[in-house]
């Protein structure tokens, strides 16, 4: 009996072991031979653009100045005073933008009708008595919105800036509240206004924010159309010349050119920069504030125009085939994620370009498969290109799978827990 019991116990143990062996073989085989493989290690590469730093156009150290490049809302360069300073007649540009935000007007359209009030006319009389710039109108006249903009921007008319603000917002106080909201919405936090004209020394802003405002103004079709005019015929046979035009032979298109005792000479402008051997131009938007005299302005603008042309270049920011990530498998195969296409930009490169790589996780893949993307931040905005695999990452085969149970089983377990 004892021997029979012992044989039964041994038989039971053999059966249990056999069951576990069968189960183990049943799981291990599929897990290793057809299950998932461990992901390849993705190593990001140190990468630089083919073109190096070129520098930026030269800005004056007197006063305050800044530039914004076409297609970008980022400031390209600044010089001089970094703090907010009086902005003079540049404030009329903000008035025009805020009014157009509330009362949109298409290019070529006369816009709304503005009836000159007694308060508007009294302001005109006051400006004349103070020798401030003013284009005549009288109470009861009707002007088109376009004519009001022409007088305020081309003729730098203070009374027309006030009248536009009252027409759109009911009062100067109503305009200032709207202007504060407009500026805050666009992150122009340095600008503070106390009137619609810029005559008060309390109208202040940084050159950086004024350069951004200049870019916004030229992006507004109604303003861009007006500023391209040499002058305009207005209501009642009156006319204005474009007082903001300055040094067009150097590529400048003025937006606002003014002088006050507090602000000095202020000039907001677009500059068309020719690109050597490319047969095209790139636009800079700029602000010069607190310039001391016109001789200094002339010299500073000549230097800016010449250095802008010599420092811009056609820059290949990403080149087809440029590697950004290396994939290495546990079984020793390697392949790289490379740029699928070339992207070039006309740029002033102020510092080495930096790349952000979004690399997908993979174990095996065919050559040419998309494996993520690369993004480079440039002064002209972000540029993104897809990455593709430059070589095949193949399956290692059954011998490697069976001989490397730990990474294979780990990948199998992780695939069931994801």
């Amino acid at each position: 009996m004892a021997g029979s019991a012992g044989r039964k116990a041994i038989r039971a143990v053999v059966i249990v072991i056999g069951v576990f062996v069968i189960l183990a073989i049943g799981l291990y085989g599929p897990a290793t031979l057809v299950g998932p493989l461990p992901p390849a290690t993705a190593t990001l590469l140190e990468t630089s653009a083919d073109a190096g730093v070129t520098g930026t156009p030269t800005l004056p150290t007197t006063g305050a100045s800044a530039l914004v490049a076409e297609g970008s809302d980022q400031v390209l360069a600044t010089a001089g005073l970094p703090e907010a300073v009086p902005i003079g007649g540049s404030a009329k540009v903000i008035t025009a933008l805020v009014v157009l935000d509330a009362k949109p007007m298409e290019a070529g359209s006369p816009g709304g009708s503005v009836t000159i009030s007694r308060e508007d006319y009294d302001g005109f009389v006051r400006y004349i008595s103070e020798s401030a710039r003013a284009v005549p109108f009288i109470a009861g006249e009707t002007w088109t919105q376009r004519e009001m903009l022409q007088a305020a921007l081309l003729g730098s008319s203070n009374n027309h800036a006030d009248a536009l603000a009252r027409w759109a917002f009911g009062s100067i106080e109503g305009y200032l509240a709207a202007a504060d909201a407009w500026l805050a919405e666009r992150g122009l936090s340095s600008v503070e206004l106390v009137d619609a004209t810029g005559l008060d020394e309390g109208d202040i802003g940084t050159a950086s924010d004024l350069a951004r405002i200049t870019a916004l103004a030229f992006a507004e079709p109604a303003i861009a159309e007006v500023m391209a005019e040499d002058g305009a015929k207005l209501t009642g046979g009156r006319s204005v010349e474009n007082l903001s035009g300055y040094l067009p032979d150097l590529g400048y298109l003025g937006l606002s050119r003014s002088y006050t005792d507090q602000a000095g000479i202020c000039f907001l402008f677009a500059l068309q920069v020719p690109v050597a051997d490319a047969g095209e131009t790139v636009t800079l938007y700029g602000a010069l504030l607190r310039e001391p005299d016109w001789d200094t302005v002339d010299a500073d603008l000549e230097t800016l125009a010449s250095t802008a042309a010599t420092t811009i270049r056609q820059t290949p920011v990403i080149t087809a085939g440029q590697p950004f990530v290396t994939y290495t498998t546990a079984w020793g195969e390697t392949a790289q994620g490379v740029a699928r296409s070339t992207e070039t930009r006309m740029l002033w490169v102020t510092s080495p370009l930096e790349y952000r790589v979004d690399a997908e996780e993979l174990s095996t893949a065919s050559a040419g498969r998309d494996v993520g993307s690369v993004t480079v931040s440039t002064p002209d905005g972000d540029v993104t290109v897809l990455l593709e695999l430059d070589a095949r990452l193949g399956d290692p085969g059954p011998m490697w799978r069976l001989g490397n149970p730990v990474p294979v089983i780990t990948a199998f377990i992780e695939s069931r827990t994801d």
Side-chain angles (χ1 to χ4, degrees):
M1 296 247 339
S4 176
R7 285 193 297 274
K8 288 181 178 180
I10 292 171
R11 184 169 178 269
V13 170
V14 170
I15 292 172
V16 170
I17 293 173
V19 169
F20 277 106
V21 169
I22 292 170
L23 289 174
I25 294 173
L27 290 174
Y28 182 68
T32 54
L33 295 177
V34 297
L37 290 163
T41 300
T43 304
L44 302 185
L45 303 176
E46 291 291 333
T47 308
S48 61
D50 289 348
V53 173
T54 63
T56 57
T58 301
L59 288 169
T61 55
T62 56
S65 54
L67 296 171
V68 170
E70 180 180 9
S72 174
D73 62 355
Q74 301 300 311
V75 176
L76 174 66
T78 62
L81 300 169
E83 66 269 20
V85 298
I87 61 176
S90 305
K92 296 187 185 74
V93 174
I94 303 173
T95 301
L97 283 165
V98 176
V99 168
L100 286 169
D101 188 57
K103 305 278 191 180
M105 186 184 84
E106 295 182 359
S109 166
S113 296
V114 182
T115 300
I116 305 304
S117 69
R118 181 68 194 190
E119 186 177 12
D120 296 333
Y121 177 74
D122 289 343
F124 163 66
V125 173
R126 184 179 71 255
Y127 288 130
I128 290 295
S129 69
E130 295 170 353
S131 299
R133 194 172 297 280
V135 174
F137 56 30
I138 59 176
E141 281 186 335
T142 299
W143 290 56
T144 67
Q145 184 180 358
R146 179 186 176 86
E147 289 175 318
M148 297 291 287
L149 285 172
Q150 288 170 320
L153 295 177
L154 297 178
S156 194
S157 175
N158 291 293
N159 50 302
H160 282 80
D162 284 343
L164 263 176
R166 292 191 190 98
W167 170 70
F169 302 102
S171 65
I172 298 300
E173 291 73 20
Y175 159 71
L176 291 174
D180 286 346
W182 186 90
L183 292 163
E185 184 179 344
R186 289 155 182 79
L188 301 163
S189 58
S190 75
V191 181
E192 298 178 11
L193 300 174
V194 296
D195 61 29
T197 64
L199 289 174
D200 194 292
E201 64 182 353
D203 297 304
I204 61 173
T206 62
S208 293
D209 277 352
L210 267 295
R212 292 175 60 202
I213 287 168
T214 300
L216 291 172
F218 278 109
E220 172 60 55
I223 292 179
E225 182 181 51
V226 167
M227 298 317 301
E229 299 171 342
D230 294 329
K233 298 293 184 181
L234 305 175
T235 293
R238 305 174 184 97
S239 63
V240 292
E241 295 180 358
N242 187 343
L243 301 179
S244 297
Y246 202 62
L247 300 180
D249 292 345
L250 295 180
Y252 287 96
L253 177 61
L255 177 65
S256 174
R257 189 164 62 102
S258 64
Y259 171 84
T260 66
D261 290 340
Q262 303 89 354
I265 296 172
C266 298
F267 185 43
L268 306 186
F269 59 87
L271 172 61
Q272 297 292 319
V273 182
V275 181
D277 302 324
E280 59 183 285
T281 62
V282 175
T283 304
L284 284 175
Y285 302 102
L288 302 186
L289 309 175
R290 293 183 70 93
E291 287 281 271
D293 54 64
W294 288 109
D295 287 341
T296 301
V297 172
D298 290 350
D300 289 341
L301 292 176
E302 289 174 7
T303 299
L304 171 57
S306 63
T307 57
T310 57
T311 52
I312 191 172
R313 68 171 57 168
Q314 181 83 11
T315 303
V317 295
I318 299 175
T319 304
Q322 187 176 357
F324 289 93
V325 57
T326 296
Y327 288 98
T328 304
T329 67
W331 51 96
E333 289 190 354
T334 63
Q336 291 186 321
V338 301
R340 186 178 285 278
S341 59
T342 296
E343 289 288 338
T344 63
R345 294 291 187 274
M346 293 292 184
L347 295 176
W348 289 270
V349 183
T350 58
S351 60
L353 299 175
E354 296 182 359
Y355 297 87
R356 303 188 302 277
V357 177
D358 180 14
E360 295 182 5
E361 183 179 280
L362 54 85
S363 298
T364 62
S366 300
R369 172 188 157 178
D370 289 341
V371 292
S373 63
V374 58
T375 299
V376 56
S377 295
T378 78
D380 198 30
D382 284 355
V383 178
T384 299
V385 167
L386 293 176
L387 298 178
E388 64 180 8
L389 207 62
D390 71 345
R392 178 176 178 272
L393 293 177
D395 189 293
M399 295 303 295
W400 187 91
R401 285 174 173 269
L402 291 170
N404 293 271
V406 173
V408 174
I409 294 297
T410 299
F412 178 80
I413 294 172
E414 288 179 349
S415 72
R416 294 295 187 271
T417 58
D418 285 346

